[in-house]
Amino acid sequence: MKKILQQVVACLCAVTLLLSACKKDNEVPTVNYTVKVTYPVTYTKSAAAGVKVTLTNSVTNTSTSAVTNEEGVATLNGLLPGNYQVIASRDLTAEEALPLTGYSVAVYLNASALNHVIQANSTASLDLVLNGSKVGGLVFKEVFYAGTKTPGGTNYLIDQFYEIYNNSTEVMYADSLCLADIQGNPAISSSVKPTGFQSDVNNAYARNVWMIPGNGKTYPIEPGKSIIIAQTAINHKTDPAGNPNSVDLGKGISDFEVYVASSTRDVDNPDVPNMIAIYTPTPGFYWQTYVFGPSMIIFKHPNPASLPQLMEPGTTATTLYMQVPNANIIDGVDFLANATAGDKKRLPVAVDAGFKYASGTYNGESMVRKSKGNGTNGRLIYQDTNNTTDDFKVVPQATPKK
Ligand SMILES: [Ca+2]
Ligand SMILES: [Ca+2]
């Protein structure tokens, strides 16, 4: 028996030698690459240690990760030359954030370099400056965009809603919070092109912007509580013009609704305050966002109506889109038509590094943020890594205020 084993081992060694010899002949030259990561300029320190840097090859979809050392340098060895998506991210606990920011509030930092080309025999280093998102604050908890079908099988398209949750430990105010849908087709068909704004990694481009009213302290959201902005704030289940297969979005569930004043079809529930139209060139009858998957942001800006309006590069359309800087975006979520629609992403990676999709349209499916468990006072804490692929799950039925 021992002899047989020895022969097997010898044989394996020979095969291994042969394989490594073969490998040497066909070897593709690989690159040893370093990425240097620094904190935002307002931080007390420059070099960012403990940052996870992930490089994903755009062709093979293979990912390689490394963590930065005390000098803020991550070393990634043996990379194939090619086009990469580079993402750096770091969660700072409240304790870690205090000496860096002066505030004892948890921060989520990230940075990215999209379509970054690494050449053969390259010894270059990439510099990334982390961007702090206003974490610990308001997040999309549920986004229901797919719509439902009536018992008769008709598409029912007025029950979309956006639930926004206070994920922090302090009271936050909904006053002047803006909700916008972002330009770009979610890949409804295979011939669709990515949005011409995709190359701008520092801004999102809004099709329509609606704002919550209030004087600054009118609409407090307690920690662990949420608000709902409904497309149409009625009890869709019992309303005579509604749909028993839908959900209750009436008074007591919806906090605000979008009322398209110019529409001949939209209805205004007098018991639910209306959103203020800031920039609404294409509201349609109901401001229905893509049932194939919208890209949504919430943001605050001292004067949102003053934000620049731009045409989409690479198109001849004269429609203008409102430019919202990443720095003003509080949360963003990208939903697309299917699993292979990733190249149609509309939000900058720093806002949302991924995307989620429903299995169809008008099927009642809803997007819900995953919870991370309970915090103080039993409030639920929701996962927020600015990556919708990881942070959201698909549920078969919408669950407003659940
Ligand atoms: Ca409406
Ligand atoms: Ca109303």
Side-chain angles (χ1 to χ4, degrees):
M1 187 65 186
K2 200 178 175 188
K3 199 170 182 190
I4 294 172
L5 268 178
Q6 277 171 347
Q7 279 170 348
V8 168
V9 169
C11 204
L12 277 176
C13 287
V15 170
T16 310
L17 277 174
L18 198 66
L19 279 178
S20 38
C22 284
K23 200 179 163 199
K24 204 148 208 162
D25 287 344
N26 302 325
E27 213 163 64
V28 181
T30 56
V31 182
N32 294 341
Y33 206 71
T34 56
V35 179
K36 186 169 188 342
V37 187
T38 50
Y39 283 119
V41 286
T42 52
Y43 281 43
T44 56
K45 200 176 160 188
S46 177
V51 179
K52 188 182 178 190
V53 178
T54 303
L55 277 76
T56 305
N57 187 297
S58 306
V59 177
T60 64
N61 217 25
T62 314
S63 290
T64 316
S65 293
V67 175
T68 58
N69 61 18
E70 284 304 311
E71 281 74 51
V73 175
T75 307
L76 297 110
N77 291 331
L79 290 175
L80 290 173
N83 185 299
Y84 283 85
Q85 313 300 328
V86 185
I87 295 173
S89 63
R90 171 89 156 92
D91 257 322
L92 291 178
T93 64
E95 280 174 344
E96 288 171 326
L98 182 60
L100 290 163
T101 65
Y103 298 98
S104 182
V105 175
V107 183
Y108 181 77
L109 294 162
N110 67 6
S112 65
L114 288 183
N115 297 323
H116 180 70
V117 177
I118 294 179
Q119 292 175 349
N121 305 317
S122 165
T123 50
S125 153
L126 172 68
D127 289 338
L128 288 176
V129 182
L130 292 169
N131 218 316
S133 58
K134 293 166 185 169
V135 166
L138 301 173
V139 293
F140 284 102
K141 172 177 173 270
E142 178 160 1
V143 177
F144 177 57
Y145 61 80
T148 46
K149 279 225 195 294
T150 65
T154 307
N155 293 341
Y156 187 76
L157 46 73
I158 60 168
D159 51 3
Q160 294 179 325
F161 71 86
Y162 310 91
E163 184 166 359
I164 295 155
Y165 182 87
N166 182 353
N167 211 22
S168 81
T169 54
E170 289 152 49
V171 175
M172 315 272 307
Y173 290 89
D175 305 52
S176 300
L177 184 73
C178 292
L179 173 70
D181 55 330
I182 302 304
Q183 166 59 5
N185 190 299
I188 287 171
S189 75
S190 55
S191 61
V192 158
K193 288 198 176 70
T195 164
F197 290 122
Q198 214 173 45
S199 57
D200 183 352
V201 299
N202 299 311
N203 298 283
Y205 290 85
R207 296 157 66 88
N208 299 279
V209 177
W210 301 89
M211 188 173 84
I212 291 175
N215 64 15
K217 297 253 166 119
T218 311
Y219 300 110
I221 313 174
E222 300 291 326
K225 298 289 181 205
S226 64
I227 55 162
I228 283 185
I229 301 169
Q231 189 207 71
T232 306
I234 59 172
N235 184 345
H236 295 273
K237 293 176 91 69
T238 58
D239 191 86
N243 172 14
N245 294 339
S246 185
V247 285
D248 181 1
L249 292 176
K251 189 189 176 188
I253 304 283
S254 291
D255 298 274
F256 305 97
E257 73 171 330
V258 171
Y259 173 61
V260 181
S262 60
S263 171
T264 52
R265 298 187 194 175
D266 206 3
V267 286
D268 181 2
N269 180 346
D271 293 330
V272 177
N274 296 346
M275 298 288 282
I276 298 168
I278 294 293
Y279 178 69
T280 56
T282 55
F285 289 117
Y286 307 103
W287 188 52
Q288 185 186 33
T289 62
Y290 282 113
V291 291
F292 285 88
S295 178
M296 306 298 302
I297 58 168
I298 46 172
F299 71 95
K300 278 198 177 180
H301 187 276
N303 184 7
S306 71
L307 284 166
Q309 298 169 15
L310 281 80
M311 274 170 61
E312 183 179 342
T315 70
T316 52
T318 54
T319 315
L320 297 174
Y321 301 95
M322 190 168 256
Q323 184 186 53
V324 183
N326 288 0
N328 291 91
I329 298 174
I330 294 166
D331 193 27
V333 283
D334 222 337
F335 301 109
L336 294 164
N338 54 58
T340 59
D343 64 327
K344 309 299 184 307
K345 249 190 82 61
R346 295 149 289 187
L347 282 176
V349 169
V351 174
D352 179 6
F355 70 98
K356 208 83 183 173
Y357 56 94
S359 68
T361 55
Y362 298 103
N363 61 4
E365 286 179 0
S366 194
M367 300 294 165
V368 176
R369 190 178 288 275
K370 295 175 188 167
S371 100
K372 263 171 53 167
N374 290 97
T376 49
N377 303 327
R379 88 190 155 88
L380 271 180
I381 299 173
Y382 283 88
Q383 178 179 318
D384 182 24
T385 65
N386 293 347
N387 186 335
T388 298
T389 307
D390 295 335
D391 294 346
F392 275 77
K393 61 183 178 183
V394 186
V395 298
Q397 204 168 19
T399 56
K401 291 263 172 87
K402 298 273 163 64

